[in-house]
Amino acid sequence: MHYPVIYQVQDIYYPVLAAVGVPVTLVAIVILSRGKCDLSKCISRYLVGMAVADLLVVITDPILRWIGQIYLPRSFLDITPVCSFIIFLSYATAVVSVWLTVAFTFDRFVAICCEELKTKYCTEKTAAVVLGTVSVLGCLESLPWHFTLKPDYIIDNVPWFCVITRSFCTSPAWSAFDLFHLILTPCVPFCLILLLNVLTVRRILVASRARSGLRGHSNGENHKDAEMENRKKSIIILFSVSGSFILLWVTQVIFYIFARIINIQSYNSATDPVYIAEHTAKMLQLFCSCTNTCIYVLTQTKFREELKNAVKYPFHLIVK
């Protein structure tokens, strides 16, 4: 029997994603935690929190859920309590990762557009509270997924594998929860990030014109505007992070909406175009967890310097 192309792609894609995603995300966590990237403590706290969430996404979804299924069939990962916990974690980490991106986008929106609120909200303490709150609420919102699963069969009193319960497919309450989860993640975050970025861009354009006009009517000196330089660094990170999120999640959002409109319940085979579209959207969504480190390298000079020092450090130890 022919092995479907989508499975062949996944057999390569997920191990590569894990092999790249785990080390680069760990490096980002270490570098950002040191606080030497010329970023405010508030921004650093958000970026570290997002990096930790991305690391957990890579560990739970590509590694435990997919690689385990592909390369470790009928292992302890397939015992029902274990696989149901992994599925719960995959939902929870995705929700937390997405909403931390929203929280970071909102923080930068406040910093740029709300001068009076900026000093109270854009602080390291507030960032810590937001990170903790989002993490707890994300786990609580995802907890019901654990109860939508049951064993496929039982051998020697050990339940194996996870299948969807019949009540999940027939109960109005579960249907409402499924719709609520869809709206909460990723539809609402997707729209919020787009809206906040549009408002932020508009504010930046207005402020830039005003400051350029004031400087033009001053003594005509060509000195650099320190405030605008600092704001520029913040804006580059914001638009890069939120832009990559939008690009890599847009396929997932479109598929979710399409699947609900035509009421997809099952697929004929792994060669079904809709089935391929669903798994392609999932792969793009998971790739989003590995992009932030690349963004920091491309946009932040201090981060590149710290990364170079980290790469050189083992060689210095060997030479000594």
Side-chain angles (χ1 to χ4, degrees):
M1 183 178 179
H2 178 65
Y3 194 53
V5 174
I6 187 64
Y7 292 159
Q8 297 178 36
V9 173
Q10 288 175 327
D11 288 354
I12 299 172
Y13 178 79
Y14 286 122
V16 171
L17 183 67
V20 174
V22 171
V24 300
T25 311
L26 282 173
V27 167
I29 292 171
V30 173
I31 292 176
L32 292 169
S33 299
R34 287 166 57 84
K36 296 182 179 181
C37 294
D38 203 19
L39 299 170
S40 70
K41 291 183 178 180
C42 177
I43 294 178
S44 297
R45 182 64 67 94
Y46 275 111
L47 294 182
V48 170
M50 291 164 63
V52 171
D54 289 341
L55 176 63
L56 293 175
V57 168
V58 175
I59 291 173
T60 56
D61 221 319
I63 296 178
L64 295 179
R65 191 174 178 184
W66 293 103
I67 296 176
Q69 185 182 52
I70 294 170
Y71 294 101
L72 298 172
R74 298 182 180 274
S75 67
F76 76 98
L77 296 175
D78 293 321
I79 298 175
T80 302
V82 177
C83 72
S84 62
F85 183 67
I86 291 172
I87 292 172
F88 153 70
L89 282 180
S90 69
Y91 279 106
T93 53
V95 170
V96 171
S97 177
V98 168
W99 279 97
L100 286 184
T101 304
V102 176
F104 174 66
T105 305
F106 181 74
D107 178 86
R108 292 300 87 199
F109 166 76
V110 171
I112 294 170
C113 302
C114 308
E115 291 294 333
E116 295 182 359
L117 185 60
K118 174 182 176 181
T119 54
K120 295 181 179 180
Y121 184 82
C122 300
T123 64
E124 187 178 10
K125 182 178 179 181
T126 302
V129 172
V130 171
L131 292 172
T133 303
V134 169
S135 300
V136 172
L137 292 179
C139 291
L140 291 176
E141 189 276 336
S142 303
L143 187 59
W145 289 110
H146 177 77
F147 302 101
T148 65
L149 305 167
K150 66 176 183 178
D152 192 11
Y153 53 83
I154 298 176
I155 300 177
D156 296 330
N157 293 323
V158 178
W160 286 90
F161 300 103
C162 294
V163 293
I164 297 294
T165 60
R166 185 176 180 180
S167 62
F168 180 78
C169 302
T170 58
S171 169
W174 280 122
S175 297
F177 169 74
D178 188 31
L179 180 61
F180 171 75
H181 180 80
L182 167 66
I183 294 172
L184 188 67
T185 307
C187 293
V188 171
F190 192 85
C191 295
L192 282 176
I193 289 174
L194 278 175
L195 175 62
L196 290 171
N197 279 335
V198 169
L199 294 175
T200 302
V201 168
R202 188 178 69 173
R203 173 67 177 178
I204 290 168
L205 292 176
V206 171
S208 297
R209 291 195 196 101
R211 293 181 72 85
S212 297
L214 289 172
R215 293 177 65 198
H217 287 87
S218 62
N219 55 15
E221 293 179 2
N222 193 30
H223 63 277
K224 289 186 177 181
D225 191 327
E227 182 178 340
M228 290 303 293
E229 287 294 321
N230 292 332
R231 183 174 291 185
K232 181 180 177 181
K233 294 177 183 178
S234 176
I235 292 167
I236 289 173
I237 294 180
L238 168 64
F239 289 168
S240 300
V241 171
S242 57
S244 68
F245 170 83
I246 290 170
L247 289 175
L248 294 173
W249 271 86
V250 66
T251 309
Q252 186 81 295
V253 172
I254 292 172
F255 177 82
Y256 277 147
I257 296 172
F258 173 75
R260 293 309 184 277
I261 290 174
I262 66 174
N263 193 27
I264 296 175
Q265 298 293 336
S266 60
Y267 302 101
N268 296 325
S269 68
T271 58
D272 188 325
V274 181
Y275 180 86
I276 295 173
E278 179 182 8
H279 282 262
T280 301
K282 181 66 176 178
M283 288 189 287
L284 288 173
Q285 176 225 310
L286 292 175
F287 182 67
C288 185
S289 302
C290 302
T291 58
N292 286 346
T293 302
C294 298
I295 289 170
Y296 306 148
V297 171
L298 293 173
T299 61
Q300 300 299 308
T301 304
K302 288 289 185 179
F303 187 92
R304 288 196 298 271
E305 292 176 1
E306 289 296 312
L307 181 60
K308 290 177 183 177
N309 293 335
V311 172
K312 293 177 182 177
Y313 183 72
F315 297 100
H316 286 314
L317 290 179
I318 294 173
V319 171
K320 289 183 179 179

